[in-house]
């Protein structure tokens, strides 16, 4: 009877064999649920605060639903050239930087995946060396300055163009691709560039999506690079502006505003944080189907 019952049980259904197993799962759910609340509650608080009045933000230390919904903060943001310019700058730098960094990383990883490449071991050792030792802020700044990249958007892209850890993972992924596909393409008349763009890259969509997300998030959240290399406040990115808005001298971050002009200072901080976070949250679901597979690809041998 027990054998028949076991045979008809749906696949994937877990059966609790002991009290300890049930207690463990219950504690697991409580712990993970608590961690999820700790993560989500601040996001909801910031979102609610961006729609609340200045008086409510000052009077209530924490709330998840404003007593009165107002959109004056967002109206102020979209009517202010400084905030819109910073948002557009960040979007453009993130888009261009992601394309450049992914292209350079994959273009370097592909030849390094070929064991017959002369000097391959030396180059790989240099790449691994950079994982442990970095040039530091001052030498990097001097290089950027001597290249004439100060106050240039390229200073936010090129110094971090290739992440050595990502490069090694992509190289390992390329080594796992079937060599027969590349040989067949060469027999059909493809050169190395044709093999790379027509065969290798179309097979690499999961890992391209994964590292595009990694690079995009890193560029979007980058605060130190624009702080070091951008002196012109008209070229500020959104992260620098968020930092300036959370400082006591927030009015100067908006630009040359008249001191009598009112702007929702507390709500503005919340709203700018929402705007700085929302694009990445919207971008992630489109890459989610590739994300789990792409993270593991190239890191384990099958």
């Amino acid at each position: 009877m027990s054998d028949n019952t076991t045979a008809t049980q749906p696949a994937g259904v877990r059966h609790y064999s002991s009290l300890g197993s049930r207690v463990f799962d219950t504690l697991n759910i409580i712990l993970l649920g608590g961690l999820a609340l700790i993560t989500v509650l601040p996001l909801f608080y910031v979102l609610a605060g961006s729609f609340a009045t200045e008086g409510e933000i000052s009077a209530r230390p924490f709330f998840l639903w404003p007593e009165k919904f107002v959109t004056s903060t967002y109206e102020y943001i979209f009517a202010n050239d400084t905030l819109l310019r910073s948002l557009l700058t960040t979007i453009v730098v993130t888009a261009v930087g992601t394309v450049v960094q992914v292209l350079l990383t994959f273009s370097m990883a592909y030849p390094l995946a070929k064991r017959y490449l002369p000097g391959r071991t030396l180059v790989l050792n240099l790449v691994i060396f950079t994982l442990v030792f970095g040039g530091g802020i001052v030498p990097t700044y001097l290089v950027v300055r001597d290249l004439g990249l100060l106050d240039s958007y390229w200073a936010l892209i090129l110094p971090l163009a290739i992440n050595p850890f990502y490069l090694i993972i992509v190289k390992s992924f390329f080594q796992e691709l079937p060599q027969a596909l590349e040989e067949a393409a060469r027999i059909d008349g493809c050169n190395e560039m044709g093999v790379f763009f027509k065969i290798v890259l179309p097979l690499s969509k999961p890992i391209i999506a994964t590292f595009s997300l990694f690079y995009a998030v890193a560029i979007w959240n980058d605060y130190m690079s624009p702080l070091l290399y951008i002196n012109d406040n008209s070229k500020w990115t959104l992260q620098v502006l968020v930092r300036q808005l959370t400082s006591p001298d927030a009015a100067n971050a908006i630009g040359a505003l008249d001191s009598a002009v009112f702007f929702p200072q507390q709500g503005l901080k919340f709203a700018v944080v929402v705007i700085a976070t929302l694009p990445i949250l919207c971008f992630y679901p489109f890459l989610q189907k590739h994300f789990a597979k792409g993270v593991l690809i190239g890191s384990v041998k099958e």
Side-chain angles (χ1 to χ4, degrees):
M1 182 67 179
S2 59
D3 293 340
N4 294 334
T5 303
T6 304
T8 59
Q9 289 167 348
V13 176
R14 181 177 177 181
H15 299 279
Y16 301 98
S17 56
S18 65
L19 177 62
S21 177
R22 292 193 293 270
V23 171
F24 173 79
D25 284 349
T26 302
L27 294 177
N28 232 359
I29 293 172
I30 294 174
L31 176 62
L32 294 177
L35 292 176
L37 284 177
I38 293 174
T39 303
V40 172
L41 285 179
L43 297 177
F44 279 111
Y45 170 59
V46 171
L47 181 62
S50 68
F51 288 101
T53 61
E54 292 291 294
E56 184 176 0
I57 295 173
S58 302
R60 301 174 64 187
F62 181 80
F63 57 91
L64 297 177
W65 191 268
E67 294 178 351
K68 180 182 179 181
F69 272 87
V70 294
T71 59
S72 57
T73 303
Y74 290 98
E75 292 172 2
Y76 179 85
I77 288 176
F78 290 110
N80 189 280
D81 292 339
T82 301
L83 292 167
L84 287 178
R85 183 171 58 246
S86 295
L87 177 60
L88 180 61
T89 297
T90 307
I91 292 173
V92 173
V93 170
T94 301
V96 175
T98 301
V99 173
V100 170
Q101 292 178 353
V102 169
L103 184 60
L104 290 178
T105 300
F106 279 66
S107 298
M108 184 175 180
Y110 178 67
L112 290 178
K114 308 303 177 185
R115 300 185 183 277
Y116 55 79
L117 179 71
R120 172 180 177 270
T121 302
L122 174 62
V123 175
L124 282 176
N125 288 335
L126 292 175
V127 171
I128 295 172
F129 180 84
T130 62
L131 284 172
V132 183
F133 303 99
I137 294 177
V138 175
T140 304
Y141 177 85
L142 295 177
V143 171
V144 172
R145 184 198 64 184
D146 292 343
L147 290 175
L149 297 178
L150 290 181
D151 272 337
S152 168
Y153 295 132
W154 289 109
L156 310 180
I157 298 173
L158 296 181
L160 304 174
I162 298 178
N163 185 301
F165 180 68
Y166 298 167
L167 176 68
I168 292 173
I169 295 178
V170 175
K171 177 195 74 72
S172 300
F173 168 76
F174 285 155
Q175 287 177 329
E176 296 175 7
L177 292 178
Q179 294 299 313
L181 293 176
E182 298 183 20
E183 293 172 359
R186 293 188 183 97
I187 291 174
D188 288 340
C190 274
N191 54 19
E192 288 297 332
M193 294 295 292
V195 171
F196 178 65
F197 284 103
K198 296 180 181 180
I199 303 298
V200 175
L201 288 186
L203 294 174
S204 308
K205 290 180 180 178
I207 202 168
I208 290 175
T210 300
F211 288 110
S212 294
L213 180 64
F214 286 169
Y215 275 126
V217 171
I219 298 172
W220 184 273
N221 291 332
D222 188 14
Y223 167 71
M224 286 302 299
S225 294
L227 183 67
L228 291 173
Y229 307 135
I230 303 298
N231 299 317
D232 185 357
N233 58 10
S234 66
K235 296 182 178 180
W236 275 350
T237 61
L238 195 58
Q239 303 306 326
V240 176
L241 190 62
V242 169
R243 172 62 184 87
Q244 297 298 326
L245 289 175
T246 56
S247 67
D249 196 17
N252 290 335
I254 303 300
L257 293 178
D258 183 73
S259 58
V261 176
F262 168 78
F263 66 93
Q265 184 171 355
Q266 296 300 321
L268 188 63
K269 298 176 183 179
F270 291 118
V272 173
V273 171
V274 170
I275 293 175
T277 308
L278 191 61
I280 295 298
L281 293 179
C282 295
F283 186 60
Y284 178 79
F286 294 100
L287 300 177
Q288 186 177 8
K289 62 180 180 180
H290 300 296
F291 188 76
K293 182 179 179 182
V295 168
L296 296 177
I297 281 178
S299 62
V300 293
K301 293 287 186 180
E302 295 182 357

